[in-house]
Amino acid sequence: MPDDVITRTIPSTRERLPAIGLGTFMTFDTLSDRGRERIREVARRHWQEGGRVFDVSPLYGRSEVNLGDFASEMRINDRMFLANKIWATGDHLWDDGHAADSLRRTVKRLSLDKPVDLMQCHSLTNVDVIIPLLHAWKKEGRIRYLGVTHHEPTYFGVLASWVERAEVDFVQVHYSIHTRAAEERVIRAAADRGVAVLVNMPLEKARLHKIVENHQVPDFARELGMDTWSQYFLKWVISNPAVTCALPATTNPAHLAENVAAMRGELPDAETRDRMVRHMETIPGFDELATMPWYPGKTFNGLVSTAQAAVRKRSPWWPS
């Protein structure tokens, strides 16, 4: 990777990763040719600019298939750092049939000739069974690292408890300049136990950009090389010394370029990070971000969104 890229160390092995990765939830779940061309360019630019971490999941519709196709075209299948997830085990408790099938599909879809770099228990689903299974897979050489994930602050206490007692290598958690609850226990537990931290929703699924769409990046941030809001938000996240890699997602190659630019140049110190938060608190709507829908003004037409719309049409109740 380029020498000027900001990297972070995985505590358990000292392996280094670029501080900005690429998420694929919704964004890589597309069936259209035009949509695939856009995300193909996103994947290409991410790699070209020094990105090496790609985060996928079987739950993300076509994300594994599309990323696998692009990785094969770029011949990076066994050079990229693949973070994947597992969420189902089998037909009954402790049956690992579904999990084993999922792992085989991942290896096939991504054309891997090496162990999966990181397998995570997706949103703590069936975690009591999956964590022992992941430890078995790691011992057997099927995966290199294991971890746990969640994006809902309501579950952060439970997530932290698994970091504290499950001998995991990674934790993936929702953390942003707006949603800072992970600092209270999850990130602290990770730092104390030598666990790498991946960050999901660092841009709050486009909600942060929506709030600042009529505002300029403040001068004090520009003086530190933060010329775009993407750099502002992402540099705030990765300047936390316990954070290993942030995982923004996008379908727009131009936005990808802004995101990866955050892993170059100076990072804000603790005093500047506080000032960045205080500045955001002066912008109307920032305190109401959690009530906004994900991806304001955006639509997706993949397997997940199609299935979600079908259930929404059938169901008399839908969560707010």
Side-chain angles (χ1 to χ4, degrees):
M1 72 186 74
D3 293 338
D4 60 341
V5 167
I6 297 169
T7 61
R8 290 289 168 75
T9 299
I10 300 173
S12 62
T13 63
R14 312 310 295 173
E15 178 180 358
R16 299 194 71 84
L17 296 178
I20 300 293
L22 183 63
T24 60
F25 176 65
M26 300 303 282
T27 54
F28 271 52
D29 179 24
T30 183
L31 304 172
S32 72
D33 291 340
R34 183 174 181 274
R36 278 175 55 85
E37 285 303 315
R38 286 173 64 84
I39 58 174
R40 175 184 283 108
E41 181 63 11
V42 165
R44 188 192 70 79
R45 289 196 188 184
H46 180 68
W47 184 267
Q48 182 183 51
E49 294 299 322
R52 294 297 180 265
V53 180
F54 296 82
D55 182 76
V56 294
S57 172
L59 269 70
Y60 298 168
R62 296 279 293 181
S63 70
E64 275 190 317
V65 173
N66 285 330
L67 178 59
D69 288 347
F70 306 152
S72 294
E73 292 169 6
M74 294 187 288
R75 299 182 180 180
I76 63 170
N77 306 72
D78 293 324
R79 292 189 289 156
M80 64 182 178
F81 186 96
L82 179 69
N84 209 325
K85 306 179 186 74
I86 193 79
W87 71 285
T89 48
D91 289 331
H92 54 79
L93 193 62
W94 293 105
D95 170 26
D96 69 347
H98 293 181
D101 286 344
S102 181
L103 179 60
R104 282 192 289 269
R105 281 194 298 271
T106 289
V107 171
K108 182 178 180 180
R109 288 171 174 174
L110 277 298
S111 300
L112 298 177
D113 289 324
K114 66 169 186 175
V116 175
D117 294 298
L118 167 63
M119 190 63 77
Q120 304 158 97
C121 179
H122 198 145
S123 296
L124 299 177
T125 306
N126 205 13
V127 63
D128 298 278
V129 176
I130 288 179
I131 287 299
L133 179 60
L134 294 183
H135 275 288
W137 284 357
K138 182 178 177 180
K139 179 181 177 181
E140 294 159 0
R142 299 184 183 188
I143 63 175
R144 298 175 58 220
Y145 301 106
L146 65 107
V148 285
T149 85
H150 219 295
H151 67 279
E152 287 284 355
T154 303
Y155 294 93
F156 284 1
V158 182
L159 184 66
S161 73
W162 282 96
V163 173
E164 292 164 349
R165 62 192 173 93
E167 298 182 17
V168 297
D169 302 297
F170 279 80
V171 61
Q172 184 180 143
V173 66
H174 176 186
Y175 181 52
S176 75
I177 197 170
H178 173 271
T179 305
R180 305 185 295 278
E183 294 175 338
E184 297 170 9
R185 185 175 167 194
V186 178
I187 293 177
R188 183 180 304 155
D192 289 345
R193 285 161 177 77
V195 173
V197 177
L198 298 182
V199 171
N200 60 50
M201 298 176 64
L203 300 178
E204 293 289 352
K205 299 195 182 301
R207 293 179 293 182
L208 282 172
H209 281 86
K210 181 66 176 178
I211 288 168
V212 299
E213 63 182 355
N214 295 317
H215 298 265
Q216 296 294 318
V217 177
D219 290 341
F220 77 86
R222 290 183 180 275
E223 291 172 1
L224 294 175
M226 290 178 271
D227 297 321
T228 68
W229 282 112
S230 292
Q231 289 175 295
Y232 188 97
F233 299 136
L234 291 173
K235 280 181 177 285
W236 185 90
V237 169
I238 65 173
S239 59
N240 183 321
V243 168
T244 308
C245 179
L247 301 167
T250 184
T251 61
N252 188 325
H255 293 169
L256 183 281
E258 293 182 2
N259 293 346
V260 294
M263 63 180 178
R264 288 177 167 84
E266 186 176 355
L267 290 176
D269 58 19
E271 182 179 349
T272 304
R273 293 180 87 240
D274 289 342
R275 186 178 183 185
M276 292 166 75
V277 173
R278 292 197 304 272
H279 179 79
M280 289 302 302
E281 290 172 342
T282 69
I283 296 179
F286 182 68
D287 60 339
E288 300 173 356
L289 181 145
T291 66
M292 296 171 58
W294 290 358
Y295 310 112
K298 300 177 184 292
T299 58
F300 299 95
N301 297 301
L303 295 178
V304 173
S305 55
T306 300
Q308 184 184 50
V311 173
R312 186 191 296 266
K313 186 176 181 180
R314 294 167 54 202
S315 176
W317 179 87
W318 196 260
S320 59

